[in-house]
């Protein structure tokens, strides 16, 4: 059986300028075509894919850390700016499979907000701006939204055995959506 102490210390380089991790073990690239069903205006999503060649929606860079109790998983999340109709680009969002696990997000660059919700319908949002830490408590699903014109980059940390439950968000959605209308951010 592996002992936690068998895992060796390491470090990674993160570029604060462009929001990337040097030599990540995992680099998840999420294209717009995987976002069907998430936005209010499905026709606008299809148009975006057709006219802009299925742009990258967001990227996640991670070092390899065992998904085991005691470890902390860490990543860089880079969400590109853009709109589907007038709705701001967002990440798919998830509950943690192990529901009673929290997460911290430190915003490195860009602007936006984190939408959060519980299973019993409570919802909240917190602004992201460079240098601001946002805490997603245990039991709160979380989704990042980019309201700006530059990538929204965050440094995230959470218990390594938390797991990700995307399916329930596909079924339930989020009660809040974020739009840019007449140059203003509208949350409704
Ligand atoms: C983050 C997210 C990242 C991408 O690291 O995984 O922002 O968003 P989705 O996972 O919703 O596609 C995190 O919350 N990890 O638990
Ligand atoms: Zn999470």
């Amino acid at each position: 059986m592996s002992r936690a102490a068998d895992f060796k210390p390491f470090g990674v380089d993160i570029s604060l300028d462009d929001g990337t991790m040097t030599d990540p073990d995992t680099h998840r690239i999420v294209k717009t075509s995987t976002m069907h069903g998430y936005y209010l205006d499905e026709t606008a999503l299809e148009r975006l894919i057709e006219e802009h060649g299925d742009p990258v929606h967001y990227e996640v860079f991670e070092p390899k850390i065992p998904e085991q109790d005691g470890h902390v998983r860490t990543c860089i999340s880079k969400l590109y700016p853009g709109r589907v109709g007038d709705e701001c680009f967002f990440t798919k969002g998830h509950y943690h499979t192990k529901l009673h696990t929290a997460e911290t997000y430190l915003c490195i660059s860009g602007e936006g907000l984190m939408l959060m919700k519980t299973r019993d319908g409570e919802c909240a949002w917190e602004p992201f701006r460079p240098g601001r830490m946002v805490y997603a408590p245990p039991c709160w699903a979380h989704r990042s939204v980019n309201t700006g014109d530059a990538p929204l980059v965050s440094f995230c940390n959470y218990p390594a055995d938390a797991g990700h439950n995307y399916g329930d968000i596909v079924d339930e959605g989020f009660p809040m959506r974020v739009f840019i209308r007449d140059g203003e951010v509208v949350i409704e």
Side-chain angles (χ1 to χ4, degrees), residues 11-90:
V12 293
D13 292 303
I14 292 166
S15 165
L16 300 182
D17 291 333
D18 71 353
T20 56
M21 187 179 283
T22 310
D23 297 328
D25 292 305
T26 309
H27 181 193
R28 180 175 158 219
I29 300 175
V30 179
K31 296 260 199 141
T32 303
S33 56
T34 70
M35 301 296 294
H36 282 291
Y38 282 90
Y39 289 94
L40 205 54
D41 188 344
E42 185 66 23
T43 311
L45 185 83
E46 276 158 20
R47 205 170 42 238
L48 181 67
I49 296 165
E50 246 179 62
E51 293 175 3
H52 296 273
D54 197 7
V56 173
H57 228 70
Y58 58 100
E59 299 179 74
V60 183
F61 304 86
E62 286 175 285
K64 193 172 168 62
I65 292 172
E67 292 180 36
Q68 290 168 4
D69 180 33
H71 285 278
V72 174
R73 273 183 84 180
T74 187
C75 73
I76 289 288
S77 169
K78 182 176 187 179
L79 171 61
Y80 287 89
R83 317 269 182 268
V84 176
D86 56 2
E87 189 171 3
C88 298
F89 274 18
F90 55 67

Side-chain angles (χ1 to χ4, degrees), residues 94 96 103 105 142 158 164:
H94 55 264
H96 289 160
E103 180 158 356
Y105 277 63
H142 38 283
Y158 56 100
H164 295 93

